Amino acid sequence: MTKELVEHFRGENWTNSNLIAEKLDKNHNHVMAKIRKLLNDLSKFTDETSSMKKNDKKKFILENYTSANGQTYSRYKMNKPAFTLLIMQMSGKEALKIQDTFNDAFYEMEHFILRKQNVEFITAREQGKIARAECTDAISELVEYATGQGSEHAKYYYSTITTETYKALGYLAKGEKAGSEFRNHLDHFQLAELFIAESLASQAIRQAIEENLHYKEIYLLAKQKVCEFGRSQQALKFTPKASPLDTPT
């Protein structure tokens, strides 16, 4: 399949100079030289043009790879806008031919990822509904339990625990409120995170009730569980470099 010319990595689709050289039937050094010249030309833009690069979507990234003979070499990987710019610098029927081939590969990969994300979204959404129902039932038990211990505001645990969970996962800023359609705007990864967080909250609430703890302590335990999970998720998240055009120094 043509999508083998493209890989999906950290949320983006990439090809590389090796594959381009192979499809052009050119020496890899020839393609590398073309890329270096292009990057050099881009670096000569005026200050005004350079300031516009902040919104540029082209990405050329120099990386090392190990070939079949065990030797380490350099190559450029690039996203679709970068590939398009590179191929525009080339001439001849072969260049035109591989442009169509690689464009088809990017197109196939984009649709493959969309289909995959759709399946993952549906699965995460269904799991989220189950977790939400379990969490709501657990909070209902806490409300009844807290009321029995003399709480006059136990009914607010529904909104309070939900809001604290969203905040712990970084979905809400301080002082921000979640509307009734908030969950419908989360992606499949966020829904999966929420599934785990609400499951942790439910378990903490029910276990603490069984241990006959004070209702305020139960609330704090549930909040602690989701906050700990939220911190661990934030620490794992990858933060890409701000520069849209990664060039070697």
Side-chain angles (χ1 to χ4, degrees), residues 13 60 71 77 88 99 107-108 111 115 134 145 150 162 164:
N13 298 327
F60 292 91
Q71 297 296 312
K77 73 176 184 178
M88 287 173 60
Q99 182 174 9
Y107 177 82
E108 284 188 32
H111 280 258
R115 289 193 298 271
E134 290 180 352
Y145 182 84
T162 298
E164 290 297 335

Side-chain angles (χ1 to χ4, degrees), residues 17 44 87 160 194:
S17 52
K44 292 179 180 178
I87 209 67
T160 303
L194 192 55

Side-chain angles (χ1 to χ4, degrees), residues 18 28-29 32 36 62-76:
N18 264 340
H28 184 229
N29 289 333
M32 290 287 282
R36 291 192 186 100
L62 186 64
E63 64 177 9
N64 293 326
Y65 73 99
T66 303
S67 67
N69 64 13
Q71 297 296 312
T72 300
Y73 300 99
S74 295
R75 70 182 177 191
Y76 280 97

Side-chain angles (χ1 to χ4, degrees), residues 120-121 124 171 183-193:
E120 291 174 346
F121 177 79
Y171 303 160
R183 296 171 79 97
N184 292 332
H185 297 288
L186 300 179
D187 60 32
H188 70 276
F189 180 77
Q190 291 172 320
L191 288 171
E193 279 188 324

Side-chain angles (χ1 to χ4, degrees), residues 13-61:
N13 298 327
W14 305 89
T15 190
N16 64 66
S17 52
N18 264 340
L19 292 170
I20 294 171
E22 180 183 331
K23 289 299 178 181
L24 279 172
D25 196 23
K26 299 277 189 182
N27 186 287
H28 184 229
N29 289 333
H30 171 81
V31 176
M32 290 287 282
K34 283 280 189 182
I35 296 173
R36 291 192 186 100
K37 182 179 184 306
L38 173 59
L39 293 175
N40 186 55
D41 290 342
L42 289 172
S43 69
K44 292 179 180 178
F45 283 173
T46 62
D47 291 340
E48 180 180 355
T49 306
S50 296
S51 66
M52 294 171 64
K53 286 184 182 179
K54 293 179 181 179
N55 297 319
D56 199 341
K57 301 300 181 182
K58 296 183 293 296
K59 292 183 181 179
F60 292 91
I61 299 178

